[in-house]
Amino acid sequence: ADPQNDCHHSAYLTQPTTFGVTQALIGTAHATGLRPAIILGINSTDEVFVRCNTEDALQIAGEGRSTGFFGVSRNSSAAFGARVHGADYTLSSASIAPSTLDSFVFARNSVGSPINIASARLAFYSIGTAISDLAAFDARVTALVTATGAAV
């Protein structure tokens, strides 16, 4: 499990998810299976939704069919940040205890079972401690994915 106020999840999509279906790129629920603890996902109405050890979700309209970098990071108890399709977002929301479940990639872990399985194609993902500058991380990951694609 990630620390409560020191965590990030990110993914780089090269192919978007299927429209009209709720899908998780990376995520985990609390052990009770109720709320996602950390999630990067796309809902059925074309919104990106993000949580990071909080009850509240950041919802970003119109970006569900985007490709590129998606990231969330929390380094304080009062708020978390996200970066989606080149734009930065912040949600002031108190942190809650992190899930004891592992994070799943291409799905959300709901008490050991994958749900909201994603049809996206990911070129990169990362799970770890907080990243203070998601824009810089986005630039580095984008450069890596571009260089790898050109070399193949």
Side-chain angles (χ1 to χ4, degrees), residues 43-61:
N43 70 17
S44 59
T45 60
D46 197 29
E47 290 180 321
V48 173
F49 60 94
V50 182
R51 280 194 175 95
C52 192
N53 293 339
T54 185
E55 289 288 332
D56 302 313
L58 175 63
Q59 294 175 278
I60 305 162

Side-chain angles (χ1 to χ4, degrees), residues 7-13 25-26 38-41 48-52 58 60 68-74 80-90 124-126 131 133-135 137-138 141:
C7 54
H8 90 275
H9 281 52
S10 70
Y12 189 99
L13 276 71
L25 306 176
I26 300 177
I38 297 181
I39 191 163
L40 290 170
V48 173
F49 60 94
V50 182
R51 280 194 175 95
C52 192
L58 175 63
I60 305 162
F69 183 84
F70 289 65
V72 60
S73 183
R74 177 181 282 277
F80 68 88
R83 184 165 175 85
V84 173
H85 202 221
D88 293 312
Y89 302 89
T90 301
F124 175 90
Y125 74 90
S126 176
I131 294 175
D133 189 345
L134 284 173
F137 190 55
D138 175 359
V141 169

